[in-house]
Amino acid sequence: MSTGRVRTKKKACSADQSPDNLPLRSSGRQVKKKAAEAADDDDEASEKKYRKCEKAGCTATCPVCFASAAERCAKNGYTSRWYHLSCGEHFCNECFDHYYRSHKDGYEKYTAWKRIWTSNGKSEPSPKAFMADQQLPYWVQCTKSDCGKWRQLTKEIQLTPQIAKTYRCGMKLNSSTKAEGSDQCSMPEDLRVAEVSDHWWYSMLILPPLLKDSVAAPFLAAYYPDCVGMSPSCTSTNRLPGESNLVKLEHLKSVPNLTVAGMNKYFQPFYQPNECGKALCVRPDVMELDELYEFPEYSRDPTMYLALRNLILALWYTNCKEALTPQKCIHHIIVRGLVRIRCVHEMERILYFMTRKGLINTGILSVSPDQYLLPKEYHNKSVIIVGAGAAGLAAARQLHNFGIKVIILEAKDRIGGRVWDDKTFKGVTVGRGAQIVNGCVNNPMALMCEQLGVKMHKLGEKCDLIQEGGRITDPTIDKRMDFHFNAILDVVSEWRKDKTQNQDVPLGEKIQEIYKAFIQESGIQFSELEEKVLQFHLSNLEYACGSNLSQVSARSWDHNEFFAQFAGDHTLLTVGYSTVIDKLAEGLDIRLNFPVQTIDCSGEEVQVTTADGTVWTTQKVLVTVPLALLQRNAIQFNPPLSEKKIKAINSLGAGVIEKIALQFPYRFWDSKIQGADFFGHVPPNSSQRGLFSVFYDMDPEGKESILMSVVTGDAVATIKNLDDKQVLQQCMTVLRELFKEQEVPDPVKFFVTQWSKDPWLQMAYSFVKTGGSGEAYDIIAEDIQGKIFFAGEATNRHFPQTVTGAYLSGVREASKIAAF
């Protein structure tokens, strides 16, 4: 270890050259010599008193040791070496020795820390890491609105969220009284604070910040803390004594859906190690592509970004009923040193980015004008949204909360679009449109239900298949045919991997081809009942696609399955989607009965003309009308839509399903169907496939007597020209066949939907037609000149056909509009 340079000027002198014997003529020269030697001595003293930091680029001209641990600590004086942590934070060689040398008093403390760090963390437990994690003083900001100055706490004070939340200049933290000096806020702020916000300061930081006792710790127990921005020395990240990382990780692999005590089980914002394929999930140890694009400065070392992003996400999912603001996050940032100031500054940037992207501060939250979620620079926009369905309302809610002026123009006399609940049935809400949530883990519908305090009913897997005549099908037959049905779809998947197959074919045709080939090659003959059960499974596929299989692409029918999908329970939203829709719409400027006819973006601003002749002028327009209306040119665009977009619009199909709901005087089906949420109808032949194929019990509590069924595939066309009573008659004929052994009463109330005849909807949900591809969803979603934007389930390639997909498309476009 270097001990510093000490210059000496020793010279041998003979007796006759001794100072006493020098000739008088040399006395002038001697005086000069002595003066020069005195000056050298001053330089040596100065060099010994001060020594610069050897870190290239460090701005500290006279470093001060923050540790003050060693008895001979250099403090602000001379040391043989300064150890650099940041441009304003150094420790001296004497304090280094105090902890690092085995014969020194601090060595035991250092080695105890090192054991904990090594057992929990992955990074090197160096002396610098020890100093940063254990010895640096904390910094805290005065919470007085007219002050806000940063103050350094004394070394013995441990910062807590409560202190950070309430601190004021002069507050006495080491006593029970919290008195503050009358003029403490007038004291100047440490000059080092101003440097922290300079762009170069972070590049001079030796170690990235690792948060202590982060709220994210319970979510990330399977990770090395220092790989996800947390300190390995905290009790919140400690393992049980003697437990190895390997044992810990293997244990957590066995329970991949790690949930935090007291939290909604559907909230799983972070992937666990070796886990994949979960929608709206992030890797806590890796930055996403859009994050890297927004924050390129963290591409080399993302630790600070990950620490803050993970903290923000954890705080949001801990309490999603209130808007998460910078003020609510700041006091949870516990890290030693000046870097805490930098973390607070960066946290605000990251919070606004995550808010704009809809990762946090989303759902049904409503904020007042003085609490907008984004800064004022985002507020100078005006937007018109065409359509008050799930997509339009989602976008409007987001933009309104951002502080952007929004008007919604809706053609119908109600909001909701393809969400339309009937609340006239006794004690039960029945959705004329969507009512089932497919996959609840991280689903925004689960988030909004949590915000509303609404419970969803988990749908069971049991589904008895009843034949006409009343017999329940042997479950082994159902399992066998389900296996064969899925095997056929697996062969379809293998077929489309063949790159030499350039031409698409209808899915129904491909299934029939594979089925016939299997029969011929295997020699297996299915029974008549087995063939009927196969038809039931095909009707379910048509239900999923929203079309008969002769129109659906064999190559791209399940294009979205290549992306992470929502996992977990399928649930029935017993209160109806309208509960969510109505809350999203609360407080928004919605104009009903205003059909939009033209959208003109040829000028500097966009002009929207409605059917009554009113011309609305705005900066941005978001179009959320159903695909069927775009296909029928219900809105005229100027300039016209590009050929590419028109081709994409027409390459998708506007699927249709219809529903019927019936209320009975009593639950006649309970005698046969017990402990199930639905039962299936085995079609007597392929021509009746899709005609009331599944019946749902709409009251999970078993009190009310309401069934709902669907009409899918070719069966939709067979009832299109029937009146409601004729459809009811057909449905009752089926029910009386399924429950032939008993009397089935007439319903006391019913409805039949006619989605295909609604002039402003004309469909249920989209599908990829033969010859099309999933890319069409992305092309439809492309904006036009940064002025006209598109949302809706038919613009969401990842989650089409669902209310969730429509909602997320609105959130996506709100983010794009805000960023423009």
Side-chain angles (χ1 to χ4, degrees):
M1 187 63 62
S2 169
T3 56
R5 295 177 292 123
V6 179
R7 283 190 252 167
T8 58
K9 290 195 173 186
K10 293 183 180 177
K11 188 176 181 181
C13 296
S14 60
D16 62 346
Q17 289 176 324
S18 67
D20 292 336
N21 296 326
L22 283 173
L24 288 174
R25 57 187 168 86
S26 65
S27 62
R29 189 172 60 209
Q30 183 65 24
V31 170
K32 288 182 181 179
K33 183 177 178 181
K34 285 187 175 181
E37 286 179 351
D40 275 351
D41 287 343
D42 286 343
D43 286 344
E44 289 164 22
S46 176
E47 184 174 343
K48 189 170 183 179
K49 187 175 181 181
Y50 299 109
R51 186 181 184 85
K52 289 183 179 181
C53 174
E54 295 174 6
K55 171 74 175 174
C58 180
T59 56
T61 53
C62 300
V64 179
C65 180
F66 63 77
S68 298
E71 191 175 329
R72 298 181 63 189
C73 172
K75 301 192 185 304
N76 63 344
Y78 174 83
T79 184
S80 58
R81 179 179 175 183
W82 286 108
Y83 291 86
H84 175 105
L85 291 185
S86 78
C87 284
E89 295 163 319
H90 302 78
F91 60 97
C92 66
N93 194 61
E94 286 73 18
C95 288
F96 172 93
D97 285 349
H98 177 76
Y99 290 111
Y100 192 69
R101 305 301 176 192
S102 58
H103 62 284
K104 297 286 187 178
D105 293 343
Y107 181 72
E108 190 175 329
K109 185 175 182 179
Y110 170 64
T111 53
W113 169 87
K114 190 174 179 180
R115 279 194 298 272
I116 295 172
W117 188 281
T118 306
S119 64
N120 289 324
K122 195 174 184 181
S123 57
E124 181 69 25
S126 65
K128 285 187 176 182
F130 169 75
M131 288 295 199
D133 189 68
Q134 296 292 307
Q135 299 301 308
L136 270 174
Y138 286 106
W139 287 77
V140 65
Q141 190 173 25
C142 179
T143 56
K144 285 185 72 173
S145 58
D146 57 348
C147 179
K149 290 177 180 149
W150 286 92
R151 305 298 188 190
Q152 179 178 303
L153 299 181
T154 54
K155 189 177 160 185
E156 68 274 9
I157 300 295
Q158 297 291 320
L159 182 64
T160 65
Q162 184 59 28
I163 291 175
K165 195 175 183 179
T166 59
Y167 179 81
R168 294 192 172 193
C169 293
M171 183 178 283
K172 296 180 179 179
L173 299 173
N174 50 3
S175 67
S176 57
T177 59
K178 294 189 176 180
E180 57 181 71
S182 56
D183 62 344
Q184 289 298 307
C185 287
S186 63
M187 298 291 289
E189 191 175 61
D190 192 303
L191 294 175
R192 291 174 292 170
V193 173
E195 287 189 336
V196 175
S197 52
D198 289 339
H199 71 276
W200 54 264
W201 187 90
Y202 184 70
S203 65
M204 296 297 292
L205 195 65
I206 292 297
L207 297 166
L210 297 174
L211 302 188
K212 292 176 175 289
D213 298 318
S214 171
V215 177
F219 292 90
L220 307 177
Y223 288 90
Y224 289 108
D226 42 344
C227 291
V228 291
M230 302 188 301
S231 169
S233 68
C234 296
T235 54
S236 59
T237 56
N238 278 359
R239 298 190 320 270
L240 294 173
E243 183 187 7
S244 71
N245 273 318
L246 184 62
V247 170
K248 179 186 183 187
L249 290 174
E250 286 301 320
H251 166 68
L252 286 160
K253 284 177 193 173
S254 66
V255 280
N257 295 330
L258 185 70
T259 53
V260 177
M263 185 169 292
N264 190 312
K265 65 178 180 178
Y266 297 134
F267 292 179
Q268 297 173 28
F270 302 106
Y271 276 121
Q272 297 307 305
N274 303 317
E275 191 182 23
C276 62
K278 240 170 30 180
L280 303 192
C281 217
V282 299
R283 286 269 308 271
D285 56 340
V286 175
M287 289 178 72
E288 305 277 327
L289 286 176
D290 55 348
E291 293 175 316
L292 286 166
Y293 181 80
E294 189 82 8
F295 300 94
E297 64 270 32
Y298 291 114
S299 58
R300 294 186 68 177
D301 185 354
T303 306
M304 179 190 279
Y305 180 86
L306 294 173
L308 297 174
R309 179 252 266 162
N310 294 344
L311 171 67
I312 291 167
L313 265 181
L315 284 170
W316 167 243
Y317 280 101
T318 301
N319 180 15
C320 62
K321 295 181 180 181
E322 297 178 3
L324 187 61
T325 62
Q327 292 71 31
K328 291 179 182 177
C329 296
I330 287 171
H331 57 270
H332 290 285
I333 300 174
I334 307 297
V335 63
R336 290 179 180 273
L338 286 164
V339 74
R340 181 168 186 267
I341 302 171
R342 184 67 173 232
C343 284
V344 168
H345 293 165
E346 290 299 285
M347 180 277 304
E348 192 169 52
R349 287 179 63 210
I350 296 167
L351 181 84
Y352 289 147
F353 167 75
M354 295 174 73
T355 296
R356 177 167 60 81
K357 296 293 284 187
L359 298 172
I360 61 169
N361 288 334
T362 186
I364 61 159
L365 284 185
S366 181
V367 299
S368 58
D370 60 335
Q371 294 177 322
Y372 287 137
L373 300 176
L374 292 184
K376 288 183 179 178
E377 57 262 31
Y378 287 93
H379 300 176
N380 58 347
K381 295 186 181 75
S382 62
V383 182
I384 284 178
I385 295 177
V386 183
L393 292 172
R397 172 53 55 203
Q398 292 289 103
L399 292 169
H400 174 80
N401 287 353
F402 293 167
I404 295 171
K405 183 182 178 183
V406 184
I407 296 174
I408 304 177
L409 301 178
E410 168 57 50
K412 295 178 71 65
D413 60 358
R414 64 173 180 83
I415 64 170
R418 285 164 278 180
V419 169
W420 186 17
D421 291 336
D422 192 320
K423 298 180 183 289
T424 63
F425 287 81
K426 182 185 175 185
V428 172
T429 298
V430 182
R432 290 174 175 264
Q435 195 165 4
I436 292 173
V437 182
N438 294 303
C440 289
V441 172
N442 296 334
N443 195 308
M445 293 304 150
L447 174 81
M448 287 187 275
C449 284
E450 176 72 14
Q451 291 172 327
L452 285 164
V454 167
K455 291 191 179 297
M456 297 183 287
H457 171 68
K458 177 184 175 182
L459 292 172
E461 295 183 3
K462 182 182 178 184
C463 179
D464 289 329
L465 300 187
I466 308 177
Q467 305 161 42
E468 294 198 357
R471 187 172 181 177
I472 296 179
T473 304
D474 184 342
T476 58
I477 293 176
D478 181 24
K479 287 180 181 177
R480 187 184 312 140
M481 297 317 295
D482 183 51
F483 171 81
H484 284 293
F485 170 69
N486 285 304
I488 290 171
L489 294 181
D490 288 341
V491 176
V492 174
S493 296
E494 289 301 314
W495 164 79
R496 65 184 175 205
K497 290 178 184 176
D498 185 355
K499 300 301 181 185
T500 63
Q501 298 287 342
N502 293 320
Q503 194 167 354
D504 196 5
V505 296
L507 179 58
E509 181 183 311
K510 178 55 64 176
I511 286 174
Q512 194 63 28
E513 176 191 316
I514 294 167
Y515 175 70
K516 286 181 178 177
F518 172 73
I519 296 294
Q520 288 177 354
E521 292 173 16
S522 67
I524 293 175
Q525 287 295 323
F526 292 123
S527 68
E528 184 180 349
L529 175 58
E530 288 172 331
E531 292 277 8
K532 292 177 182 178
V533 172
L534 181 60
Q535 292 299 317
F536 168 80
H537 288 294
L538 288 170
S539 74
N540 258 347
L541 182 57
E542 290 179 325
Y543 184 12
C545 293
S547 168
N548 64 50
L549 301 182
S550 62
Q551 297 186 60
V552 179
S553 165
R555 177 161 291 156
S556 301
W557 73 273
D558 61 344
H559 64 98
N560 59 306
E561 295 295 331
F562 293 97
F563 305 104
Q565 295 296 299
F566 292 108
D569 301 335
H570 299 310
T571 59
L572 180 71
L573 197 51
T574 50
V575 297
Y577 270 111
S578 61
T579 303
V580 173
I581 292 295
D582 291 345
K583 196 66 179 177
L584 281 174
E586 207 170 83
L588 298 178
D589 186 354
I590 303 172
R591 315 292 176 92
L592 299 178
N593 300 305
F594 273 91
V596 170
Q597 290 187 329
T598 65
I599 299 175
D600 187 338
C601 67
S602 58
E604 190 172 325
E605 292 191 302
V606 186
Q607 291 191 325
V608 177
T609 307
T610 48
D612 65 344
T614 304
V615 178
W616 311 70
T617 301
T618 185
Q619 292 173 306
K620 316 281 182 187
V621 172
L622 173 59
V623 179
T624 71
V625 300
L627 174 72
L629 297 194
L630 292 177
Q631 291 176 333
R632 289 166 172 75
N633 299 313
I635 298 174
Q636 299 298 312
F637 293 88
N638 183 35
L641 298 180
S642 67
E643 189 176 325
K644 178 184 176 185
K645 191 178 282 284
I646 291 171
K647 183 179 178 182
I649 288 169
N650 292 318
S651 72
L652 299 181
V656 178
I657 65 164
E658 301 294 359
K659 299 174 77 172
I660 182 171
L662 313 97
Q663 183 170 337
F664 295 95
Y666 58 90
R667 298 172 58 88
F668 64 86
W669 58 91
D670 277 349
S671 59
K672 181 180 287 190
I673 305 298
Q674 295 180 343
D677 294 303
F678 43 86
F679 57 88
H681 161 216
V682 178
N685 51 62
S686 61
S687 65
Q688 290 185 267
R689 183 175 84 201
L691 195 60
F692 318 114
S693 55
V694 180
F695 287 86
Y696 292 85
D697 184 343
M698 298 306 293
D699 184 13
E701 295 183 6
K703 295 177 181 177
E704 305 301 333
S705 312
I706 300 168
L707 292 177
M708 185 273 291
S709 190
V710 292
V711 180
T712 63
D714 286 330
V716 172
T718 67
I719 69 161
K720 185 173 183 178
N721 297 318
L722 302 180
D723 63 34
D724 290 358
K725 287 188 177 179
Q726 288 174 311
V727 176
L728 170 64
Q729 187 178 353
Q730 286 197 18
C731 185
M732 289 305 300
T733 299
V734 168
L735 279 172
R736 285 175 172 135
E737 277 293 325
L738 300 185
F739 295 87
K740 204 162 190 174
E741 72 284 354
Q742 60 178 290
E743 182 182 347
V744 175
D746 289 330
V748 296
K749 182 179 176 59
F750 78 100
F751 71 65
V752 176
T753 63
Q754 299 285 353
W755 291 106
S756 62
K757 295 180 181 178
D758 188 313
W760 303 115
L761 296 169
Q762 302 181 16
M763 64 179 293
Y765 42 77
S766 62
F767 64 93
V768 180
K769 292 198 291 193
T770 305
S773 75
E775 186 183 5
Y777 288 89
D778 289 338
I779 295 171
I780 298 172
E782 291 174 358
D783 64 88
I784 300 173
Q785 302 174 16
K787 294 180 178 180
I788 302 179
F789 300 79
F790 295 85
E793 59 86 18
T795 71
N796 194 328
R797 186 175 186 177
H798 290 226
F799 313 111
Q801 306 179 318
T802 61
V803 179
T804 294
Y807 171 84
L808 286 171
S809 73
V811 172
R812 177 198 70 212
E813 295 307 305
S815 175
K816 285 166 62 176
I817 290 168
F820 258 95

